[in-house]
Amino acid sequence: MTPREIGLLAIAKLEHDGHQLTPADQREIERTVNADIVRRNRFQDMMKTPTYQWNKPAPRR
């Protein structure tokens, strides 16, 4: 599902439950969904990268 579909589904569910959403509420839901997807992608990238191995620098002469 795309972020837009997830946001629209959440909005439809809230409206079906009897909540009246303003356009600002709808934008906030879309923003939250998009931010969550970005956070999830960043976490996946962090988990896929190899661990950092620090090496002591060679002494300078």
Side-chain angles (χ1 to χ4, degrees):
M1 290 178 81
T2 65
R4 179 155 174 76
E5 290 172 341
I6 294 169
L8 291 175
L9 187 62
I11 290 168
K13 172 68 173 143
L14 288 170
E15 288 177 344
H16 179 72
D17 290 343
H19 298 281
Q20 288 186 340
L21 299 175
T22 64
D25 294 332
Q26 293 176 358
R27 285 192 306 271
E28 181 64 18
I29 291 171
E30 293 275 344
R31 187 197 62 77
T32 304
V33 168
N34 289 334
D36 184 53
I37 289 172
V38 169
R39 181 191 54 78
R40 189 180 319 145
N41 290 340
R42 281 191 192 137
F43 181 77
Q44 286 177 352
D45 291 343
M46 182 180 68
M47 293 279 103
K48 288 178 185 176
T49 59
T51 57
Y52 177 74
Q53 182 66 41
W54 183 80
N55 295 323
K56 187 173 183 177
R60 298 181 90 184
R61 294 186 180 190

